[in-house]
Amino acid sequence: MAKTAVVVGATNGIGKAISCRLAQDGFNVIALGRDKPGRREEVIDHLIKCTSDGYTATNEEAKKQTHEFRACNAFELAQVKECAESIMSDCKTIDALVMTQGMATVQSFTATSEGNDEKLTLHYWSRAAFANCLLPALRSSSMPGGAVVLSVLSGGVHSPYKKYDIDPELKSNYSIKNAADAAGYYNDLFFDKMAKAEKNKGVNFVHAAPGFVASNWGTEMPSYLKGPIRLMQRLGGKSTEKCAEFMVKPILQCEIGDIQLSRPNGGESGLFIMNEDATSGKLSKGHTEEAMSSVWNSTRDVLGRAGIELDG
């Protein structure tokens, strides 16, 4: 029976490549992204091609695969909640949740309609919301190694955001560096706490760093920065397809029950940190129980304003 993967940010870049790779391996893919005319057909056609590229035409399992596109604006947590609830009503079991949504800008704090910073919403708040809302279906996975929640952002390469307890939403201390550090740090802390919950014992939580990739990263940057970025990507960035080969490894390992990533400090529970080559990384400095509790409480407050109640 085909497994099911939900991929957020599946319309371009790393997310699109991961969706294709999972389709090639036999997963039914539910691709999420912002809508535009023709996007649904474009995404599904691409996934069907990925499926046919991964199998022979006579493979019966390939013929049973189904893919779909669902429009979802991850800038709005209320929409994330609505989208996740829609998926849950149609799909009782999810084997992998992959989140790659993001943006690269030089803007200052820019509020969504819900009052949250745009960048931090894509890189963290929406990811916490998706994982939280889809947990019941993830717990139902029958994959031998358990379901996988994969957040592709900055695992092991960010610094801690030191004002997490006094300005968790960056409303007073916003900077490009603080926004980047907070998002990565919060991913570590939140998903580590989720991973350690007894009822999530059968779910693997992974925070990965994709490395330098020749994607459309930086589309929102001003032209004087975007030009040099594109040049560097062409000279030294790996392709999105090569990146995806590394990023999907924990999912494919769990599919066959072969877990090779190491958890922090040799423990039996907790978050996997994954380097760009799929090797095991380390948690950032400042990863403490107090910080985990503080970020969890801040996340509960932010998500709660959108009607999302944290599971745990």
Side-chain angles (χ1 to χ4, degrees):
M1 182 177 178
K3 304 300 182 183
T4 298
V6 176
V7 182
V8 189
T11 57
N12 53 57
I14 296 172
K16 183 177 181 179
I18 289 176
S19 296
C20 183
R21 182 63 184 82
L22 291 174
Q24 288 175 345
D25 200 68
F27 280 77
N28 293 329
V29 176
I30 301 175
L32 304 184
R34 280 178 283 181
D35 204 4
K36 69 177 185 179
R39 173 155 281 177
R40 184 180 305 275
E41 293 76 16
E42 174 189 330
V43 170
I44 293 176
D45 286 349
H46 175 70
L47 290 171
I48 290 173
K49 183 180 185 302
C50 292
T51 299
S52 63
D53 288 348
Y55 289 93
T56 63
T58 58
N59 188 292
E60 292 301 317
E61 287 300 315
K63 293 178 182 178
K64 296 177 183 178
Q65 277 183 256
T66 58
H67 307 299
E68 59 179 296
F69 170 76
R70 299 195 182 207
C72 185
N73 179 5
F75 280 114
E76 307 299 335
L77 298 180
Q79 277 202 37
V80 170
K81 177 177 182 288
E82 181 180 349
C83 183
E85 289 176 345
S86 175
I87 293 172
M88 287 284 293
S89 68
D90 298 333
C91 186
K92 303 305 180 187
T93 299
I94 296 171
D95 301 288
L97 168 62
V98 180
M99 297 172 287
T100 67
Q101 67 269 34
M103 63 190 298
T105 69
V106 292
Q107 67 192 35
S108 57
F109 186 103
T110 304
T112 67
S113 64
E114 296 170 327
N116 306 310
D117 176 63
E118 287 185 350
K119 191 179 294 185
L120 193 55
T121 297
L122 287 188
H123 293 169
Y124 175 64
W125 305 125
S126 66
R127 297 177 186 225
F130 271 118
N132 179 78
C133 293
L134 296 177
L135 265 178
L138 289 158
R139 292 180 186 134
S140 298
S141 172
S142 60
M143 288 209 304
V148 177
V149 174
L150 170 62
S151 181
V152 180
L153 186 64
S154 60
V157 300
H158 59 80
S159 299
Y161 169 58
K162 296 180 180 180
K163 296 185 178 181
Y164 64 87
D165 54 341
I166 60 174
D167 185 26
E169 299 179 46
L170 280 76
K171 290 186 174 180
S172 301
N173 296 279
Y174 191 94
S175 69
I176 294 173
K177 176 174 169 51
N178 282 347
D181 287 343
Y185 190 46
Y186 291 0
N187 268 265
D188 280 4
L189 296 166
F190 179 83
F191 288 120
D192 194 27
K193 189 170 179 65
M194 260 195 174
K196 290 177 178 176
E198 182 63 28
K199 55 187 172 181
N200 296 331
K201 193 173 182 179
V203 182
N204 301 281
F205 294 85
V206 183
H207 182 198
F212 191 51
V213 183
S215 66
N216 60 349
W217 181 88
T219 299
E220 306 90 350
M221 289 282 192
S223 57
Y224 67 87
L225 290 176
K226 188 160 51 176
I229 288 172
R230 292 290 178 263
L231 177 60
M232 289 188 291
Q233 286 175 320
R234 286 196 296 270
L235 294 175
K238 59 177 172 283
S239 69
T240 56
E241 292 76 17
K242 185 173 182 179
C243 175
E245 284 291 335
F246 289 119
M247 294 296 101
V248 301
K249 279 193 174 181
I251 299 173
L252 303 187
Q253 288 170 359
C254 286
E255 187 182 13
I256 61 174
D258 178 22
I259 306 299
Q260 297 178 2
L261 294 175
S262 300
R263 288 182 169 93
N265 303 318
E268 295 183 358
S269 65
L271 176 71
F272 289 107
I273 297 294
M274 190 169 77
N275 298 324
E276 62 181 272
D277 59 355
T279 57
S280 299
K282 297 180 180 180
L283 293 167
S284 62
K285 295 179 180 179
H287 193 98
T288 65
E289 290 293 332
E290 186 279 328
M292 275 197 288
S293 295
S294 180
V295 168
W296 181 271
N297 292 336
S298 298
T299 305
R300 181 186 58 204
D301 293 342
V302 172
L303 270 56
R305 296 198 296 260
I308 301 170
E309 182 177 350
L310 273 189
D311 188 328

